[in-house]
């Protein structure tokens, strides 16, 4: 049985609605909440501040950045923030990390403009830096092209092994997931079903080449839609487990359960629902109807397989 969660948008003018969605998710037994990180978006609250607030207001559900903007968040300080959130919440934080896709917005806040190759290199260095800052070493040093540490003092340590999950859409970054990261966070729409299957294979191959067990790498899929009756998309009848690229999915709970089961069969152990209609009713339908129907289709062997 995959872990099921929701994604919320950190709008400053609807924080009470976000709190309500998260409360319903927590009380409904969902596992995760993902929150975007676009510091250049003037309508958004700071993601790490919002995560801290919502962790303090919940009891069971975990949070992850979906995904943290590396060019605007130095990795050593991001490591400290992540470990602090994890310690304060009793182990309920995971770190989604991205290379930063919106160059103009990043540069507007003083961040670096990077080529595609530089972005992958910077993310790889950041993974090294973050893990050093979570280590139990007395001091650490690191010399990379993009990031450096000199006699830095790690700490605090996380209270559980925080996963570093990469938002990756292109081959080289996806391969980095397999070589070095703890998880992959793609989104359906920017990537098609076939792209997702190819990405999972690329991760498996890269992990095996690096001497890692691909089964230990989390696969976390964001998918957007509405739970409820809606007209079928124009054109051909879509098969179970298929969603037209770039088009949010609509359907009743039973259809959603079939769709999610299809992605679980394709290797995704964590499925994150991004509600087009961000209402508590949508989260209630997910937790109260879709998840039980999904559980009937996928026997739970004791949690995510990855």
């Amino acid at each position: 049985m995959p872990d099921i969660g929701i994604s919320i948008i950190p709008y400053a003018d609807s924080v009470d609605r976000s709190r309500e969605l998260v409360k319903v998710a927590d009380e409904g037994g969902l596992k995760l909440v993902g929150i975007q990180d676009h510091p250049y978006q003037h309508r958004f609250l700071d993601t790490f501040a919002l995560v801290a607030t919502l962790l303090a207001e919940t009891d069971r559900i975990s949070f992850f950045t979906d995904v943290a903007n590396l060019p605007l968040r130095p990795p050593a300080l991001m490591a400290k923030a992540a470990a602090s959130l994890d310690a304060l919440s009793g182990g309920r934080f995971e770190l989604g990390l991205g290379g930063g896709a919106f160059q103009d917005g990043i540069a507007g806040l003083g961040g670096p403009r990077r080529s595609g190759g530089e972005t992958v290199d910077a993310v790889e260095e950041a993974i090294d830096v973050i893990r050093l800052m979570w280590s139990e070493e007395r001091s650490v040093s690191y010399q990379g092209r993009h990031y450096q540490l000199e006699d830095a003092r790690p700490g605090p340590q996380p209270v559980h092994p925080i996963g570093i999950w990469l938002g990756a859409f292109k081959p080289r970054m996806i391969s980095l997931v397999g070589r070095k990261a703890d998880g992959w966070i793609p989104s359906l729409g920017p990537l098609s079903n076939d792209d997702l299957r190819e990405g999972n294979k690329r991760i498996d191959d890269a992990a095996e080449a690096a001497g890692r067990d691909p089964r230990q790498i989390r696969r976390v899929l964001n998918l957007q839609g509405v739970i409820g009756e809606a007209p079928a998309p124009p054109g051909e009848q879509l098969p179970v487990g298929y969603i037209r690229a770039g088009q949010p999915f609509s359907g009743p709970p039973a259809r959603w359960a079939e769709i999610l089961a299809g992605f679980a069969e394709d290797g995704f152990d964590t499925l994150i629902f991004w509600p087009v209609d961000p209402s508590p009713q949508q989260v209630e339908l997910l937790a109260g109807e879709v998840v039980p129907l999904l559980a009937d289709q996928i026997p739970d062997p004791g949690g995510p397989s990855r």
Side-chain angles (χ1 to χ4, degrees):
M1 176 69 183
D3 282 347
I4 306 297
I6 62 169
S7 178
I8 63 172
I9 302 175
Y11 288 126
D13 61 2
S14 57
V15 66
D16 288 342
R17 172 57 61 90
S18 294
R19 282 180 156 130
E20 192 173 5
L21 297 181
V22 169
K23 182 175 186 290
V24 173
D26 188 39
E27 294 177 350
L30 299 182
K31 300 296 187 182
L32 285 162
V33 175
I35 304 180
Q36 309 176 24
D37 183 36
H38 298 288
Y40 39 76
Q41 169 54 261
H42 71 281
R43 297 180 61 198
F44 286 6
L45 296 167
D46 178 76
T47 295
F48 279 79
L50 181 58
V51 168
T53 299
L54 295 173
L55 279 168
E57 296 176 354
T58 52
D59 297 318
R60 294 176 294 276
I61 203 162
S62 294
F63 289 77
F64 70 101
T65 46
D66 193 8
V67 290
N69 190 292
L70 175 62
L72 293 173
R73 298 189 185 275
L77 296 182
M78 185 156 45
K80 191 175 189 72
S84 298
L85 290 170
D86 197 58
L88 290 168
S89 66
R92 292 191 289 130
F93 182 74
E94 310 290 348
L95 182 61
L97 183 63
F102 301 102
Q103 297 291 331
D104 289 346
I106 291 166
L109 290 182
R113 287 186 183 272
R114 290 173 176 154
S115 68
E118 289 172 333
T119 295
V120 178
D121 292 342
V123 171
E124 182 164 9
E125 290 182 15
I127 294 171
D128 293 337
V129 167
I130 290 166
R131 288 186 174 145
L132 284 171
M133 295 303 294
W134 288 342
S135 74
E136 296 181 357
E137 298 295 327
R138 185 172 181 274
S139 68
V140 294
S141 296
Y142 182 86
Q143 290 298 319
R145 177 184 175 189
H146 301 280
Y147 300 110
Q148 299 82 38
L149 299 172
E150 185 174 348
D151 193 27
R153 304 305 170 99
Q157 281 77 45
V159 300
H160 93 291
I162 295 177
I164 301 176
W165 302 345
L166 299 189
F169 294 88
K170 294 185 178 180
R172 189 172 167 217
M173 190 76 86
I174 293 172
S175 293
L176 177 60
V177 175
R179 287 193 294 109
K180 187 167 284 190
D182 303 306
W184 182 34
I185 313 178
S187 296
L188 185 65
L191 296 182
S192 69
N193 292 58
D194 289 341
D195 293 333
L196 294 171
R197 295 186 187 103
E198 182 179 339
N200 272 331
K201 184 179 185 305
R202 183 177 294 274
I203 290 169
D204 290 348
D205 291 345
E208 290 171 354
R212 306 179 69 204
D213 183 353
R215 294 173 298 177
Q216 298 304 311
I217 299 172
R218 292 285 291 264
R219 318 298 169 104
V220 185
L221 179 63
N222 289 312
L223 62 163
Q224 192 177 28
V226 177
I227 303 172
E229 298 291 349
E236 74 277 11
Q237 178 65 37
L238 302 182
V240 170
Y242 183 94
I243 301 177
R244 191 185 305 277
Q247 180 173 334
F249 176 70
S250 298
R255 178 65 168 148
W256 269 97
E258 291 177 344
I259 290 290
L260 297 184
F263 286 117
E265 290 173 4
D266 282 344
F268 287 95
D269 53 56
T270 306
L271 301 167
I272 304 299
F273 172 57
W274 180 356
V276 174
D277 169 22
S279 68
Q281 291 76 22
Q282 285 287 291
V283 182
E284 289 169 354
L285 284 169
L286 178 67
E289 297 192 30
V290 176
V291 171
L293 289 168
L294 179 62
D296 288 342
Q297 297 185 43
I298 304 176
D300 188 354
S305 59
R306 298 188 185 274

